[in-house]
Amino acid sequence: MKLISNEQQSAARAFLVSGMVWMAVGATFGLLGGMALAAPEVFGNVPWLTFGRVRAAHINLVVVGFVPMALLGAGLHFVPALLRTRLYSERMANGAMWVWNAALLLGTITLLLGHSQAREYADYIWPVDALIVLAFVLLLYDLGMTMARRQEPLMYVSVWYFAAAVVVTGSLFPLGNAMWNWNGAMSGVMDAILLWFYGHNVVGLLLTPLAIAAAYYLVPVITKRPLYSHTLSLVGFWTLLGFYTHIGGHHLLQAPIPAWLKVISVIDSVMMMIPVLVVLINLWLTARGRYGELLTDLSGRFIFLGTVNYLVVGIQGPLQSLPSVQRVTHFTNWTVAHAHLAVLGFAGMIGLGALWYTLPRVCGRLLWSEKLANLQFWLVFVGVWAFMLILTAGGVVQGNAWINGETVYRTVPMIAPYMQLRALFGVTILLAAYLGLYNVLMTIYKGKRIER
Ligand code: HEM
Ligand code: HEM
């Protein structure tokens, strides 16, 4: 096996495996963080196990590692298929995969050693950022050349979303990480505005379009029905780009940013219901009359639950953008609940569904165990919804206590039971990640070969 292989589908396969590896490592750091919040003395004073370092390692591993890598892996399979051509260069995509993985490894080690730019979702230090930008440049070129050589004149909606994710994030990454400065930051409030313009778009314009691209490809394939409406898909695409790009200010409603920025952020956060509902209506109407097929299919089940979670996220997000609601919920575990439902419950679920669909096709082997993959579905389902309910309740307790003038010193014991329960349910997600990794590796090495 060559390190930078030119074999067809090898890059898609490698991205999928990487996604699952980082899910397992990322969830491990999540659980370490969860344990520290449930029992703050548990790791003593070991520097690399302090909450601040473990938390940053966790978030970056899942937001930059697990979810995008799994979804990119699936996309590297279905985008060339939709364009009726081969990927321009498997070597280039494999190169991007190695650079990306090197960045995650180096980024995690340096964060654990205490080297951080201390900006959420932009924590990695400059050299790591440079590696990520290089990976994006390679992918951009490869994707651009593949599109230029396409045999299919029609650009299906999944291609639009996939390309937008790579183009937007590729150009946004150096900007949001303030890469013209070695310290990776600007000063004061300007930096907060830039950071949240970027941080918000990482989840909104990398994870979201990659997940929607996969859902738009897989729902019609699994249900064997044409997409309900091409027009609706374009409305969803342009409204996503139109509204999502500039609402990062909703993370800073309690900060001294200009009032006009807050107003725009809040109004367009509410408008975000349009792209969310348009996508969901289009996907659900595509599957109408064929829900049996969708729900009995392994990947279909993951994807359907991902879309239901997207609906909840799409209602919760606009709601928590309202200043009156955020007065209670900001700086509390409410936001952490939203983050897990969105990143794991929506984009991660669809990423896992796309992974189980794509893996056998890019390995030429049958899935090692459908039962294990199904068990993973239930474990993630239970884990993510337990997180959602526990952290939302804990967040409301926390927020109201602060409004009533309680100090942090007194609110911490109030939310202790919620933190303990979250750590407990974290184990289900951790188990799901390791079972998934085992299943992926067994499929690659031991899966029954598919006769062609
Ligand atoms: C593998 C799937 C997972 C994904 C995609 C994920 C995603 C995230 C995200 C996006 C955040 C940032 C939240 C925010 O700042 O509002 C976060 C924080 C966190 N996650 Fe996860 N997570 C996963 C698994 C886990 C697991 C298994 C645990 C175990 C308990 C866990 C525990 C935590 C903790 C403790 C934080 C920090 C919360 C805080 O700062 O108060 N996560 N996670
Ligand atoms: C659909 C419309 C959405 C709206 C209007 C929205 C709104 C918000 C708001 C207002 C916050 C900040 C809450 C606070 O700090 O008080 C937030 C946080 C967050 N959102 Fe969303 N959201 C949406 C969808 C999504 C999606 C699809 C994802 C991921 C795929 C996502 C991931 C996150 C994460 C990770 C955070 C935590 C950020 C942090 O660490 O503080 N959101 N969202």
Side-chain angles (χ1 to χ4, degrees), residues 101-125:
N101 280 327
L104 288 163
L105 188 64
L106 187 66
T108 306
I109 294 173
T110 47
L111 281 179
L112 294 178
L113 290 175
H115 301 286
S116 165
Q117 289 181 341
R119 295 163 86 238
E120 214 186 349
Y121 304 99
D123 310 74
Y124 289 149
I125 53 173

Side-chain angles (χ1 to χ4, degrees), residues 120-121 196 208 244 250-251 313 317-318 320-321 326 330 338-339 342:
E120 214 186 349
Y121 304 99
W196 280 114
T208 300
Y244 222 118
H250 65 206
H251 295 260
V313 166
Q320 70 192 17
S321 305
Q326 223 185 78
H330 191 65
H338 168 75

Side-chain angles (χ1 to χ4, degrees), residues 55 63 120-121 196 200 203-204 207-208 244 247 250-251 254 269-270 272 276 310 313-314 316-318 320-321 326 329-331 335 338-339 342-343 346-347:
R55 179 188 195 279
V63 171
E120 214 186 349
Y121 304 99
W196 280 114
H200 177 80
V203 291
L207 307 189
T208 300
Y244 222 118
I247 57 176
H250 65 206
H251 295 260
Q254 334 288 319
S269 296
V270 176
M272 270 302 297
V276 174
Y310 191 37
V313 166
Q316 184 194 29
Q320 70 192 17
S321 305
Q326 223 185 78
T329 60
H330 191 65
F331 285 141
T335 310
H338 168 75
V343 179
F346 155 56

Side-chain angles (χ1 to χ4, degrees), residues 115-139:
H115 301 286
S116 165
Q117 289 181 341
R119 295 163 86 238
E120 214 186 349
Y121 304 99
D123 310 74
Y124 289 149
I125 53 173
W126 203 94
V128 178
D129 294 340
L131 287 176
I132 295 176
V133 172
L134 176 60
F136 266 107
V137 170
L138 292 172
L139 280 180

Side-chain angles (χ1 to χ4, degrees), residues 34 81 168 178 196 242 257 283 303 417-418 449:
V168 172
W196 280 114
I257 63 167
L283 286 170
I303 286 163
Y418 300 95
R449 282 191 189 281

Side-chain angles (χ1 to χ4, degrees), residues 28-313:
T28 308
F29 280 107
L31 188 61
L32 291 176
M35 285 164 71
L37 289 179
E41 306 293 321
V42 67
F43 299 121
N45 281 328
V46 182
W48 68 271
L49 282 176
T50 44
F51 179 70
R53 297 189 193 181
V54 162
R55 179 188 195 279
H58 166 58
I59 294 174
N60 286 283
L61 281 174
V62 291
V63 171
V64 186
F66 156 45
V67 182
M69 289 197 92
L71 286 164
L72 281 166
L76 287 173
H77 166 72
F78 68 70
V79 168
L82 287 173
L83 296 172
R84 284 203 286 124
T85 182
R86 284 183 59 163
L87 187 65
Y88 169 68
S89 165
E90 286 288 337
R91 276 213 178 95
M92 205 175 281
N94 273 309
M97 178 277 301
W98 283 116
V99 173
W100 197 304
N101 280 327
L104 288 163
L105 188 64
L106 187 66
T108 306
I109 294 173
T110 47
L111 281 179
L112 294 178
L113 290 175
H115 301 286
S116 165
Q117 289 181 341
R119 295 163 86 238
E120 214 186 349
Y121 304 99
D123 310 74
Y124 289 149
I125 53 173
W126 203 94
V128 178
D129 294 340
L131 287 176
I132 295 176
V133 172
L134 176 60
F136 266 107
V137 170
L138 292 172
L139 280 180
L140 263 171
Y141 188 76
D142 210 3
L143 183 66
M145 291 304 286
T146 310
M147 285 164 86
R149 293 175 164 211
R150 70 184 195 271
Q151 303 291 316
E152 171 60 58
L154 188 65
M155 296 260 273
Y156 290 101
V157 63
S158 294
V159 180
W160 281 74
Y161 273 105
F162 189 84
V166 181
V167 172
V168 172
T169 314
S171 26
L172 185 76
F173 198 89
L175 185 70
N177 280 276
M179 280 186 70
W180 59 92
N181 284 336
W182 276 95
N183 68 357
M186 288 162 70
S187 53
V189 163
M190 282 306 287
D191 189 61
I193 294 174
L194 177 72
L195 173 68
W196 280 114
F197 164 68
Y198 155 80
H200 177 80
N201 281 323
V202 168
V203 291
L205 292 175
L206 176 66
L207 307 189
T208 300
L210 285 179
I212 295 177
Y216 264 140
Y217 176 69
L218 288 171
V219 171
V221 166
I222 294 168
T223 57
K224 299 192 178 64
R225 287 284 292 268
L227 187 64
Y228 174 70
S229 162
H230 187 64
T231 312
L232 269 189
S233 66
L234 289 183
V235 173
F237 178 83
W238 288 112
T239 47
L240 179 79
L241 286 197
F243 295 136
Y244 222 118
T245 36
H246 52 272
I247 57 176
H250 65 206
H251 295 260
L252 296 166
L253 295 181
Q254 334 288 319
I257 63 167
W260 61 263
L261 192 53
K262 291 186 186 178
V263 172
I264 291 179
S265 306
V266 173
I267 292 175
D268 282 355
S269 296
V270 176
M271 299 296 272
M272 270 302 297
M273 289 184 93
I274 298 174
V276 174
L277 290 178
V278 162
V279 165
L280 292 176
I281 289 170
N282 210 3
L283 286 170
W284 289 341
L285 285 181
T286 302
R288 73 192 185 286
R290 312 283 291 211
Y291 276 95
E293 281 80 353
L294 190 65
L295 293 174
T296 46
D297 182 272
L298 172 68
S299 313
R301 218 164 16 244
F302 274 95
I303 286 163
F304 180 71
L305 183 61
T307 60
V308 173
N309 289 340
Y310 191 37
L311 177 68
V312 181
V313 166

